[in-house]
């Protein structure tokens, strides 16, 4: 990241400024960027929400959010005060034009005082139902009207299915240029996810093996220990497939499986990723129940704001194939779920067996483990001779850990992403076609489930590894998911 890369003044508007995302992620990220001198010298943060608040109390609350959630620990008095001086709160109803008139005037004054039209970032930290309303108001008030300077940032979920996502894309594209629209998938901002491209394309040794000649199968797991908690209202109408697979997991699949782009440039990269999704073999009809396992943790129906007859899945495991030259025949096993044993995101590249069996011992084929979180590591498992007078083999691991290799701090995903928005670099954001392709993959699965809502909805006990059926899905490629001891099967 280039320091002070922003010479242009920036007006950063956060809609939904009283919400959880602002307090937990956005303000801590902006504060860290400020501390690291990555924000422009001249910037203002306009926090907009419908609630009237007293500004000092509001800022104190933001500060406690930074103290609690920033990777840099607690704020220091002077630095916080200097940062907070850039923040102003504006109470305003998103449904009323006057909110945007006031905002326009504030942004206009900011430009006048800088003698320069600054860049403007409009961050929608709001419920999806406000996306159209806010966009229409920005458009009508002519606030977000300069293609090269003004950007909107939209959080997931982007639509609730293919039709709504398409409509939303068309709606936004009528009001803004595509290059102004930043659709966030925060997984793409994670340091370890960004490193996958470096690992694959800046090294010569791995890429020749990265195909169906050498790879037996791939596992992508995003397991969570947390339950749906207070998010039952949203989650019950979403489910794990929409919440995690349509976006984060398919994006992990893309970075794992994509071809090398011609250059490290936003459009080349996004096109290469989209090609992966477009080549995923569709799973539909009866095949859905063979290739996709869904589960619900026991007790889910008693969570707040969850329907007592809910058939929403809190767990999904799927077997997908990518029908291209590189990956033909290699299954990609994906899984995610809530209320599991632990929080862990990993990508496993499981290589094939050595072609000749010349040793007596059973040999474990090579395995590359890319740990995205909570550990940040890449390990390669290989066989080695156990020291001694016999030819006895045992798998060992060669590890790269960020902790041991670097002294640099690891930025939060939101820091990287907000900085990219300020710079105008959309590489790590979802283009309209990517979002739609991803919906195309999950739609037939959703449709099959909608037709038979209770069919094979496996119940699992919270705090376990999820349904046994997800282990069976791996057969005959593997006995169990990597890292999951066989005896722990549920
Ligand atoms: C969000 C989902 O997008 O990602 C949540 O809506 C999920 O349900 C979260 O818990 C996981 O993100 P992370 O960064 O904590 O792995």
């Amino acid at each position: 990241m280039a320091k002070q890369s922003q010479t242009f003044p920036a007006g950063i508007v956060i809609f939904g400024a009283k919400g959880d995302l602002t307090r937990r992620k956005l303000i801590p990220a902006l504060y860290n960027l400020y501390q690291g001198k990555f924000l422009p010298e001249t910037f203002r943060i306009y926090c907009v929400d419908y609630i009237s608040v007293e500004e000092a109390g509001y800022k104190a609350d933001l500060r406690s959010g930074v103290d609690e959630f920033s990777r840099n620990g607690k704020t220091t008095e002077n630095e916080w005060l200097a940062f907070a001086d850039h923040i102003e709160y504006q109470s305003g109803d998103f449904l009323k034009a006057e909110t945007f008139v006031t905002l326009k005037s504030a942004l206009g004054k900011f430009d006048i005082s800088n003698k320069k039209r600054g860049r403007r970032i409009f961050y929608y930290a709001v419920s999806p139902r406000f996306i159209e309303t806010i966009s229409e108001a920005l458009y009508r008030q002519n606030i977000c009207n300069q293609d090269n300077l003004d950007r909107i940032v939209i959080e997931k979920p982007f639509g609730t299915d293919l039709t709504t996502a398409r409509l939303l894309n068309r709606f936004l594209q009528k009001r803004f240029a595509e290059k102004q629209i930043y659709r966030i998938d925060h997984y793409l901002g994670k340091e370890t996810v960004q490193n996958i491209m470096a690992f694959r394309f800046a090294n010569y040794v791995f890429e020749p093996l990265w195909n169906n000649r050498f790879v037996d199968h791939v596992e992508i797991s995003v397991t969570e220990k947390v339950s749906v908690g207070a998010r039952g209202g949203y989650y019950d109408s979403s489910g794990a497939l929409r919440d995690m697979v349509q976006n984060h997991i398919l994006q992990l699949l893309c970075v794992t499986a994509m071809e090398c782009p011609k250059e490290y440039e936003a459009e080349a990269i996004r096109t290469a990723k989209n090609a992966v999704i477009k080549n995923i073999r569709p799973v539909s009809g009866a095949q859905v129940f063979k290739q996709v396992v869904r589960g619900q943790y026991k007790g889910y129906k008693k969570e707040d704001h969850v329907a007592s007859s809910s058939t929403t899945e809190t767990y999904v495991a799927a077997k997908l194939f990518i029908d291209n030259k590189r990956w033909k025949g290699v299954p990609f096993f994906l899984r995610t779920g809530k209320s599991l044993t632990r929080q862990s995101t990993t990508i496993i590249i499981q290589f094939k067996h050595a072609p000749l069996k010349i040793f007596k011992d059973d040999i474990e084929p090579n395995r590359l483990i890319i740990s995205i979180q909570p550990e940040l590591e890449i390990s390669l498992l290989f066989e080695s001779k156990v020291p001694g007078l016999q030819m006895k083999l045992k798998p060992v691991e060669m590890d790269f850990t960020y902790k041991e290799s670097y002294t640099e701090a690891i930025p939060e995903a939101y820091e990287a992403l907000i900085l990219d928005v300020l710079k105008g670099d959309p590489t790590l954001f979802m283009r309209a076609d990517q979002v739609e392709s991803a919906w195309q993959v999950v739609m037939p699965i959703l449709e099959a489930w909608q037709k038979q809502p209770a069919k094979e909805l496996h119940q699992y006990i919270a705090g376990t590894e999820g349904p046994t059926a997800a282990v069976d899905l791996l057969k005959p490629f593997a006995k169990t998911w990597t890292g999951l001891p066989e005896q722990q099967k549920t």
Side-chain angles (χ1 to χ4, degrees):
M1 290 199 270
K3 295 244 168 177
Q4 290 291 16
S5 56
Q6 329 297 324
T7 48
F8 266 82
I12 302 164
V13 179
I14 303 178
F15 297 113
K18 275 293 285 165
D20 199 45
L21 182 69
T22 303
R23 188 170 176 274
R24 286 171 75 99
K25 298 286 184 191
L26 304 185
I27 295 294
L30 283 163
Y31 180 70
N32 288 348
L33 288 172
Y34 174 76
Q35 277 191 311
K37 302 206 183 327
F38 289 108
L39 291 184
E41 270 167 43
T42 312
F43 72 96
R44 210 118 194 97
I45 303 174
Y46 302 90
C47 292
V48 186
D49 217 325
Y50 66 95
I51 305 166
S52 291
V53 296
E54 183 260 318
E55 191 154 292
Y58 175 69
K59 288 188 183 176
D61 185 47
L62 291 184
R63 183 176 184 179
S64 73
V66 177
D67 287 341
E68 193 177 346
F69 299 112
S70 164
R71 66 180 166 87
N72 290 342
K74 287 202 186 284
T75 49
T76 57
E77 182 76 3
N78 287 346
E79 216 162 3
W80 171 259
L81 291 178
F83 173 73
D85 218 27
H86 295 262
I87 301 178
E88 59 190 77
Y89 186 84
Q90 183 197 316
S91 73
D93 188 337
F94 305 138
L95 302 175
K96 291 196 176 144
E98 64 197 51
T99 303
F100 298 89
V101 173
T102 312
L103 186 59
K104 183 176 185 172
S105 141
L107 288 165
K109 278 187 202 148
F110 179 64
D111 289 342
I112 290 167
S113 69
N114 300 322
K115 300 193 180 61
K116 196 175 195 174
R117 168 68 155 79
R119 36 188 90 182
R120 296 176 180 175
I121 311 298
F122 299 94
Y123 203 114
Y124 295 34
V126 293
S127 150
R129 72 198 155 96
F130 291 118
I131 297 177
E132 280 100 337
T133 315
I134 293 174
S135 302
E136 180 66 10
L138 292 178
Y139 176 69
R140 286 204 176 277
Q141 295 297 334
N142 239 341
I143 315 180
C144 181
N145 56 357
Q146 298 214 10
D147 292 14
N148 287 326
L149 291 178
D150 303 337
R151 285 143 214 166
I152 60 169
V153 187
I154 302 205
E155 280 285 336
K156 65 171 269 280
F158 194 89
T160 52
D161 55 20
L162 179 59
T163 309
T164 50
R166 271 190 181 141
L167 286 172
L168 185 54
N169 273 332
R170 304 298 97 86
F171 183 93
L172 294 173
Q173 285 166 335
K174 274 195 186 148
R175 284 148 186 89
F176 311 107
E178 173 63 24
K179 69 187 234 194
Q180 292 180 275
I181 308 170
Y182 285 69
R183 300 172 191 80
I184 280 215
D185 183 319
H186 77 277
Y187 266 57
L188 295 179
K190 289 184 191 271
E191 189 65 33
T192 27
V193 175
Q194 292 188 58
N195 190 33
I196 297 172
M197 277 192 68
F199 180 79
R200 287 189 55 198
F201 302 132
N203 296 302
Y204 199 47
V205 293
F206 304 108
E207 203 50 20
L209 309 176
W210 214 264
N211 56 53
N212 56 7
R213 257 189 82 196
F214 298 96
V215 176
D216 184 75
H217 67 273
V218 176
E219 290 174 30
I220 301 179
S221 295
V222 183
T223 61
E224 293 190 278
K225 201 171 175 176
V226 291
S227 66
V228 298
R231 297 169 74 223
Y234 149 75
Y235 196 89
D236 204 36
S237 61
S238 166
L241 193 70
R242 284 189 175 95
D243 186 49
M244 296 295 287
V245 178
Q246 188 271 343
N247 33 71
H248 307 324
I249 295 194
L250 285 183
Q251 286 311 304
L252 293 178
L253 174 72
C254 285
V255 281
T256 308
M258 69 194 277
E259 297 300 317
C260 183
K262 284 205 187 82
E263 52 184 324
Y264 194 88
E265 182 274 331
E267 296 323 313
I269 291 173
R270 299 197 294 178
T271 300
K273 285 184 185 168
N274 200 21
V276 174
I277 302 214
K278 284 187 161 300
N279 279 321
I280 293 176
R281 192 186 304 161
V283 184
S284 59
Q287 201 57 26
V288 167
F289 295 95
K290 295 194 179 126
Q291 280 182 236
V292 188
V293 170
R294 59 177 164 165
Q296 187 187 73
Y297 64 83
K298 291 182 181 164
Y300 170 72
K301 290 194 271 259
K302 295 206 174 98
E303 299 278 15
D304 285 349
H305 310 293
V306 168
S308 55
S309 58
S310 175
T311 54
T312 298
E313 78 289 354
T314 59
Y315 180 99
V316 187
K319 174 166 70 173
L320 298 181
F321 290 93
I322 301 170
D323 283 338
N324 62 14
K325 200 170 150 219
R326 187 191 282 263
W327 294 116
K328 184 101 188 146
V330 177
F332 283 73
F333 296 104
L334 319 176
R335 71 172 165 152
T336 185
K338 301 265 185 214
S339 284
L340 299 174
T341 42
R342 62 189 169 278
Q343 186 223 8
S344 163
T345 301
T346 50
I347 298 173
I348 312 284
I349 312 292
Q350 181 62 65
F351 291 96
K352 295 189 178 185
H353 277 277
L356 294 181
K357 184 172 168 27
I358 62 168
F359 299 102
K360 277 198 204 121
D361 291 317
D362 276 344
I363 285 181
E364 271 208 55
N366 299 122
R367 179 184 305 143
L368 187 79
I369 305 169
I370 303 174
S371 301
I372 309 288
Q373 61 186 19
E375 294 85 18
L376 293 87
E377 299 180 356
I378 299 180
S379 324
L380 182 67
L381 182 105
F382 60 94
E383 290 288 338
S384 168
K385 179 184 172 304
V386 178
L389 300 176
Q390 289 168 321
M391 180 46 92
K392 202 169 162 28
L393 303 182
K394 193 178 162 210
V396 289
E397 273 185 15
M398 199 153 68
D399 289 332
F400 148 68
T401 69
Y402 280 69
K403 228 185 324 183
E404 283 170 14
S405 303
Y406 298 116
T407 50
E408 286 85 350
I410 310 284
E412 282 280 340
Y414 275 92
E415 290 170 43
L417 295 171
I418 291 173
L419 187 59
D420 281 353
V421 179
L422 281 162
K423 287 195 290 195
D425 179 354
T427 311
L428 301 178
F429 295 81
M430 305 288 291
R431 215 168 49 189
D433 56 340
Q434 291 178 283
V435 174
E436 292 178 20
S437 311
W439 275 117
Q440 250 151 358
V441 172
V442 301
M443 282 320 292
I445 303 172
L446 287 170
E447 280 156 13
W449 287 349
Q450 267 153 20
K451 277 190 198 141
Q452 293 174 287
K455 183 175 173 184
E456 293 177 36
L457 175 64
H458 301 273
Q459 300 291 308
Y460 62 96
I461 298 167
T464 64
E465 298 284 356
T468 316
V471 177
D472 299 337
L473 194 66
L474 297 166
K475 288 175 189 159
F477 291 89
K479 289 193 185 123
T480 189
W481 292 84
T482 303
L484 165 58
E486 270 186 87
Q487 64 273 22
Q488 274 193 25
K489 280 192 205 174
T490 51

Short mmCIF file of all heavy atoms in Angstrom, two decimals, residues 156 186-187 190 224 231 234 243-244 248 338 373, ligand 1:
data_model
loop_
_atom_site.label_atom_id
_atom_site.label_comp_id
_atom_site.label_asym_id
_atom_site.label_seq_id
_atom_site.Cartn_x
_atom_site.Cartn_y
_atom_site.Cartn_z
N LYS A 156 -22.78 -7.28 0.79
CA LYS A 156 -23.66 -8.41 0.50
C LYS A 156 -24.78 -8.45 1.55
O LYS A 156 -24.59 -7.85 2.61
CB LYS A 156 -22.87 -9.72 0.49
CG LYS A 156 -22.27 -10.10 1.86
CD LYS A 156 -21.71 -11.46 1.83
CE LYS A 156 -22.71 -12.50 2.25
NZ LYS A 156 -22.90 -12.63 3.71
N HIS A 186 -15.97 -9.40 1.55
CA HIS A 186 -14.82 -9.08 2.40
C HIS A 186 -13.77 -10.20 2.41
O HIS A 186 -12.63 -9.96 2.76
CB HIS A 186 -15.27 -8.69 3.82
CG HIS A 186 -15.67 -9.84 4.70
ND1 HIS A 186 -16.92 -10.39 4.67
CD2 HIS A 186 -14.99 -10.53 5.63
CE1 HIS A 186 -16.98 -11.37 5.55
NE2 HIS A 186 -15.82 -11.48 6.16
N TYR A 187 -14.15 -11.41 1.98
CA TYR A 187 -13.15 -12.49 1.94
C TYR A 187 -12.01 -12.14 0.97
O TYR A 187 -10.88 -12.54 1.17
CB TYR A 187 -13.80 -13.83 1.56
CG TYR A 187 -14.16 -14.60 2.80
CD1 TYR A 187 -14.99 -14.04 3.74
CD2 TYR A 187 -13.64 -15.87 3.03
CE1 TYR A 187 -15.32 -14.72 4.90
CE2 TYR A 187 -13.96 -16.56 4.20
CZ TYR A 187 -14.79 -15.98 5.13
OH TYR A 187 -15.10 -16.65 6.28
N LYS A 190 -9.08 -10.35 2.57
CA LYS A 190 -8.26 -11.03 3.58
C LYS A 190 -6.85 -11.24 3.02
O LYS A 190 -6.69 -11.65 1.88
CB LYS A 190 -8.88 -12.38 3.98
CG LYS A 190 -10.17 -12.21 4.80
CD LYS A 190 -10.70 -13.56 5.26
CE LYS A 190 -12.11 -13.42 5.83
NZ LYS A 190 -12.17 -13.14 7.24
N GLU A 224 -17.68 -22.41 11.13
CA GLU A 224 -17.84 -21.37 12.16
C GLU A 224 -18.34 -21.99 13.45
O GLU A 224 -19.17 -22.92 13.42
CB GLU A 224 -18.84 -20.31 11.70
CG GLU A 224 -18.36 -19.51 10.52
CD GLU A 224 -19.26 -18.32 10.25
OE1 GLU A 224 -20.31 -18.51 9.60
OE2 GLU A 224 -18.93 -17.22 10.71
N ARG A 231 -28.74 -12.73 14.61
CA ARG A 231 -29.03 -12.45 13.20
C ARG A 231 -30.11 -13.36 12.61
O ARG A 231 -30.21 -13.51 11.39
CB ARG A 231 -27.75 -12.58 12.38
CG ARG A 231 -26.69 -11.57 12.78
CD ARG A 231 -25.37 -11.91 12.13
NE ARG A 231 -25.35 -11.60 10.71
CZ ARG A 231 -24.85 -12.40 9.77
NH1 ARG A 231 -24.36 -13.58 10.10
NH2 ARG A 231 -24.84 -12.04 8.52
N TYR A 234 -32.42 -12.10 9.64
CA TYR A 234 -31.80 -12.11 8.30
C TYR A 234 -31.52 -13.55 7.86
O TYR A 234 -31.84 -13.96 6.74
CB TYR A 234 -30.49 -11.29 8.33
CG TYR A 234 -29.45 -11.80 7.35
CD1 TYR A 234 -29.59 -11.56 5.98
CD2 TYR A 234 -28.36 -12.55 7.79
CE1 TYR A 234 -28.66 -12.06 5.08
CE2 TYR A 234 -27.42 -13.05 6.90
CZ TYR A 234 -27.58 -12.79 5.54
OH TYR A 234 -26.65 -13.30 4.66
N ASP A 243 -25.81 -17.19 2.16
CA ASP A 243 -25.00 -16.35 3.06
C ASP A 243 -23.50 -16.54 2.82
O ASP A 243 -22.73 -15.60 2.92
CB ASP A 243 -25.34 -16.70 4.52
CG ASP A 243 -24.65 -15.79 5.52
OD1 ASP A 243 -24.71 -14.55 5.33
OD2 ASP A 243 -24.04 -16.30 6.48
N MET A 244 -23.08 -17.75 2.52
CA MET A 244 -21.64 -18.04 2.44
C MET A 244 -21.18 -18.61 1.10
O MET A 244 -20.10 -18.30 0.64
CB MET A 244 -21.25 -19.04 3.55
CG MET A 244 -21.43 -18.55 4.95
SD MET A 244 -20.36 -17.16 5.39
CE MET A 244 -18.78 -17.96 5.53
N HIS A 248 -18.63 -15.83 -0.60
CA HIS A 248 -17.27 -16.09 -0.09
C HIS A 248 -16.67 -17.39 -0.62
O HIS A 248 -15.54 -17.43 -1.07
CB HIS A 248 -17.28 -16.16 1.44
CG HIS A 248 -17.91 -14.97 2.10
ND1 HIS A 248 -17.79 -13.70 1.63
CD2 HIS A 248 -18.68 -14.86 3.23
CE1 HIS A 248 -18.45 -12.86 2.42
NE2 HIS A 248 -19.00 -13.54 3.40
N LYS A 338 -22.66 -23.17 10.54
CA LYS A 338 -22.66 -22.48 11.84
C LYS A 338 -22.71 -23.53 12.94
O LYS A 338 -23.14 -24.67 12.70
CB LYS A 338 -23.91 -21.61 11.96
CG LYS A 338 -24.04 -20.55 10.89
CD LYS A 338 -23.49 -19.23 11.36
CE LYS A 338 -23.72 -18.14 10.34
NZ LYS A 338 -22.64 -17.16 10.31
N GLN A 373 -7.77 -18.61 7.99
CA GLN A 373 -8.01 -18.10 9.35
C GLN A 373 -8.46 -19.25 10.25
O GLN A 373 -8.98 -20.24 9.73
CB GLN A 373 -9.07 -17.00 9.34
CG GLN A 373 -10.42 -17.46 8.81
CD GLN A 373 -11.45 -16.36 8.66
OE1 GLN A 373 -11.11 -15.20 8.60
NE2 GLN A 373 -12.71 -16.73 8.60
C1 LIG B 1 -20.61 -12.90 6.55
C2 LIG B 1 -21.78 -13.80 6.83
O1 LIG B 1 -20.63 -12.46 5.22
O2 LIG B 1 -19.40 -13.61 6.80
C3 LIG B 1 -21.72 -14.32 8.24
O3 LIG B 1 -22.99 -13.09 6.62
C4 LIG B 1 -20.39 -14.97 8.53
O4 LIG B 1 -22.79 -15.24 8.48
C5 LIG B 1 -19.26 -14.05 8.14
O5 LIG B 1 -20.34 -15.25 9.91
C6 LIG B 1 -17.93 -14.74 8.25
O6 LIG B 1 -16.90 -13.82 8.04
P1 LIG B 1 -15.49 -14.02 8.74
O7 LIG B 1 -14.63 -12.95 8.14
O8 LIG B 1 -15.72 -13.88 10.21
O9 LIG B 1 -15.04 -15.40 8.38
#
